[in-house]
Amino acid sequence: SREEIARWNSELEARVQQRTRELATLVTSSHALASTLELDALFAILMQETREVVPMAEGIALLLLDEATQTLVVRSSFGLDAEESARLRFKVGEAIAGKVFASQAPALFQTKQDVRAAQANFSAENLAQFSRAVGAREVFSAVGVPLISKGARMGALMLYNFTRPAAFAASDTPILQA
């Protein structure tokens, strides 16, 4: 009984620490939003904050909708080849990012088979481009959240893990959306 109580205490303490980190990230991100109008600087801060809150993210892509072409374009990334990822152009509904954008709902993919199935509708060009962006690695798990501001769809945030299945949890999505 005492061992069980000690285990519960330990689990609760870990949860409190995780939530504290998440709240600190939201505060930092809010300050960054308020302090800069330079998008590239803001995106760099958001990449750093995302890595701190979800340390299992070995690759991150922030995609925004290009109104002129109606495609999602990578505006900032971490753990991906920046030049190669910037060339990606996802149609709405294409691959994970396009599906997350279209559905306006988070999506979690726990196995590389789930990831492959979700990305089965990659255009040939984007498949080759994505392969160059991730290098010789395979995506073992992924999570994507839509970026929505004042009811308007703006883009998608994608996180990838190249070494572990089930690297992300459903509990990661609320902080990513915030």
Side-chain angles (χ1 to χ4, degrees), residues 92-108:
V92 174
E94 181 184 356
I96 297 172
K99 289 174 183 158
V100 164
F101 178 81
S103 71
Q104 298 186 50
L108 181 62

Side-chain angles (χ1 to χ4, degrees), residues 106-164:
L108 181 62
F109 302 91
Q110 297 287 33
T111 68
K112 59 184 175 180
Q113 293 79 11
D114 292 342
V115 172
R116 281 189 206 131
Q119 299 192 87
N121 69 338
F122 257 136
S123 69
E125 183 179 326
N126 276 336
L127 178 59
Q129 196 64 48
F130 186 77
S131 295
R132 288 190 291 271
V134 299
R137 301 170 296 178
E138 186 172 7
V139 179
F140 274 67
S141 53
V143 61
V145 296
L147 300 176
I148 302 168
S149 177
K150 298 178 184 171
R153 297 182 301 172
M154 304 203 48
L157 179 65
M158 295 297 310
L159 280 68
Y160 304 101
N161 185 283
F162 306 111
T163 56
R164 286 185 40 186

Side-chain angles (χ1 to χ4, degrees), residues 4-22:
E4 192 170 315
I5 290 172
R7 185 179 54 80
W8 285 345
N9 276 341
S10 178
E11 288 175 13
L12 286 173
E13 181 63 29
R15 286 182 192 167
V16 167
Q17 289 175 354
Q18 176 64 23
R19 294 297 177 242
T20 301
R21 283 191 300 273
E22 290 172 357

Side-chain angles (χ1 to χ4, degrees), residues 74 77 80-89 129 132-133:
V74 176
S77 65
L80 308 173
D81 184 289
E83 288 182 28
E84 297 294 341
S85 61
R87 292 186 181 106
L88 287 163
R89 299 289 182 270
Q129 196 64 48
R132 288 190 291 271

